[in-house]
Amino acid sequence: MRRYGKHTDEDDIRTRPNRKGNRPRTNIRPKHEDAAEGMVLTVDRGRLTCLVDGRTVMAMKARELGRKAAVVGDRVALVGDMSGAKDTLARIVRIEERGSVLRRTADDDDPYERVVVANADQLAIVTALADPEPRPRLIDRCLVAAYDGGLDPLLVMTKSDLAPPDKLLELYGALDIPYVVTSREELESGDAAERVREHLDGKITAFVGHSGVGKTTLVNALVPEDRRRSTGHVNAVTGRGRHTTTSALALPLEEAHGWVIDTPGVRSFGLAHIDPSRVIHAFPDLEPGTAGCPRACSHDEPDCALDEWVAEGHADPARLYSLRRLLGTRERREGD
Ligand SMILES: Nc1nc2c(ncn2[C@@H]2O[C@H](COP(=O)(O)OP(=O)(O)OP(=O)(O)O)[C@@H](O)[C@H]2O)c(=O)[nH]1
Ligand SMILES: [Mg+2]
Ligand SMILES: [Zn+2]
């Protein structure tokens, strides 16, 4: 006779003979073990749209979750009506552990951090080369949030039909971040989507940036036509007649080759929660040089060992300059 697990006792085996595929009953099974797995696609005033077994299911948080909030990208366990039929509502009973967390606060003094997106592999930091003007301080802040949250950054520079990317490329060159430059013409020909897509394969990529830089335009160019973000109820029309995004939404790329997440434009990216020691992990060429630093070194003080490390030729001075610019981004104002 076969035993099914170490919690099976003789009694159990006797009363439930060798039925293939049947697990023994134990009283240590997790709560809601028959719950379905889903992914949160969007959240709208307490209603969460989840993908469950290829179906779109509306759900709400079960009371037992307390104050814990599920966000776009979260893997969740659901129970209840999972038919996806109109006016049905499933319940989210568990939020699975997150692989990555993109966090921001309203400003640097705000202790209340919000999770923007969970489980994204990559952060596409979108900046227009003009209209609106690039804001390097905001890009730096998004980079720090990406490094802190465990996401790989990708720089997307849009509207190259309006201004050249040279200055920005110079500023970010030492950081070795992959980047794509796109224009109106390339959007229309499909070239823009093609070149961005090369960086998205098999990944979950969240698109962030200032309002009006072209995130939704790009995301819509990346996904098949029938999956595009509608500009109806999810987007609000601004005073100037432009559609501005009001909620984050995950959209699948063709043939399950990844996901793109469109997010509302941000004016600032507060970093109250950032741990500098996690940022330095993104600089593997500099990290060993911190061994000689004083305790709790800010890496921007006279005794910092990184100056010597760079002077000895172990790393490029431009890299140290970039690291310090990022670490110092909390002390400086965003608008510079
Ligand atoms: N000239 C030019 N305009 C562009 C380009 N990409 C997008 N736009 C325009 O920029 C405007 C804003 O684009 P959106 O995609 O709505 O910007 P967004 O980043 O989603 O803005 P929010 O949702 O408010 O955060 C639209 O009028 C687009 O047509 C580009 O490469 N060149
Ligand atoms: Mg948008
Ligand atoms: Zn140091």
Side-chain angles (χ1 to χ4, degrees):
M1 199 175 279
R2 231 174 104 196
R3 282 179 170 251
Y4 290 94
K6 59 175 186 251
H7 298 288
T8 308
D9 60 34
E10 295 303 324
D11 238 333
D12 205 30
I13 290 169
R14 188 160 39 77
T15 52
R16 302 168 68 238
N18 199 4
R19 278 187 291 158
K20 267 211 173 104
N22 243 2
R23 294 274 211 78
R25 286 162 193 272
T26 76
N27 50 14
I28 58 148
R29 78 180 130 187
K31 230 175 157 187
H32 303 300
E33 68 169 1
D34 52 355
E37 285 295 314
M39 174 184 169
V40 178
L41 302 181
T42 192
V43 183
D44 182 20
R45 278 161 295 170
R47 292 280 186 274
L48 299 100
T49 307
C50 303
L51 185 73
V52 183
D53 267 341
R55 281 189 314 280
T56 305
V57 173
M58 289 298 276
M60 61 182 290
K61 232 172 62 170
R63 198 170 296 144
E64 64 204 76
L65 280 184
R67 294 184 55 191
K68 220 172 156 194
V71 301
V72 174
D74 259 324
R75 306 277 166 186
V76 293
L78 303 104
V79 298
D81 193 331
M82 238 88 65
S83 64
K86 199 170 175 283
D87 296 330
T88 60
L89 209 52
R91 278 184 307 127
I92 294 175
V93 292
R94 194 168 61 238
I95 302 171
E96 308 296 352
E97 201 183 319
R98 292 166 175 160
S100 77
V101 187
L102 179 67
R103 297 184 190 85
R104 64 182 279 251
T105 53
D107 63 58
D108 289 350
D109 300 323
D110 178 8
Y112 183 70
E113 72 175 50
R114 53 223 84 199
V115 176
V116 185
V117 166
N119 299 320
D121 305 297
Q122 186 165 248
L123 187 67
I125 303 166
V126 187
T127 180
L129 293 162
D131 186 30
E133 285 303 305
R135 292 172 54 197
R137 213 42 81 195
L138 182 62
I139 302 173
D140 286 353
R141 285 168 163 268
C142 291
L143 278 172
V144 171
Y147 293 141
D148 181 72
L151 294 83
D152 294 325
L154 168 70
L155 265 184
V156 181
M157 297 170 224
T158 62
K159 312 198 189 187
S160 68
D161 49 299
L162 304 180
D166 315 30
K167 260 176 70 185
L168 274 189
L169 287 178
E170 203 177 306
L171 195 53
Y172 292 97
L175 286 171
D176 272 329
I177 305 163
Y179 68 88
V180 188
V181 181
T182 65
S183 67
R184 161 80 67 206
E185 199 181 30
E186 290 162 321
L187 269 174
E188 280 156 16
S189 71
D191 286 1
E194 197 176 315
R195 275 187 294 117
V196 175
R197 215 179 273 123
E198 281 170 22
H199 296 271
L200 308 181
D201 208 31
K203 294 179 183 157
I204 300 177
T205 304
F207 288 71
V208 299
H210 196 270
S211 182
V213 296
K215 297 180 294 296
T216 302
T217 307
L218 192 58
V219 162
N220 274 344
L222 289 166
V223 302
E225 209 157 343
D226 58 327
R227 292 175 180 171
R228 282 183 191 163
R229 164 148 239 187
S230 75
T231 46
H233 66 283
V234 278
N235 281 14
V237 180
T238 65
R240 289 156 65 209
R242 204 169 58 71
H243 291 279
T244 189
T245 307
T246 54
S247 59
L249 173 69
L251 294 163
L253 294 169
E254 202 115 42
E255 290 163 22
H257 285 330
W259 289 84
V260 286
I261 301 175
D262 186 22
T263 69
V266 291
R267 213 169 270 128
S268 64
F269 213 100
L271 297 176
H273 56 281
I274 295 298
D275 176 355
S277 69
R278 285 202 295 253
V279 176
I280 194 140
H281 285 317
F283 291 78
D285 49 335
L286 296 174
E287 200 174 11
T290 63
C293 285
R295 276 198 59 185
C297 183
S298 68
H299 305 308
D300 201 5
E301 54 193 66
D303 288 342
C304 179
L306 285 174
D307 293 285
E308 208 181 315
W309 177 258
V310 164
E312 286 166 356
H314 296 293
D316 182 350
R319 293 275 295 166
L320 178 56
Y321 174 79
S322 295
L323 170 71
R324 287 192 170 150
R325 193 182 77 219
L326 294 186
L327 288 175
T329 189
R330 277 196 59 194
E331 276 79 60
R332 293 185 203 107
R333 290 185 53 82
E334 258 181 65
D336 326 345

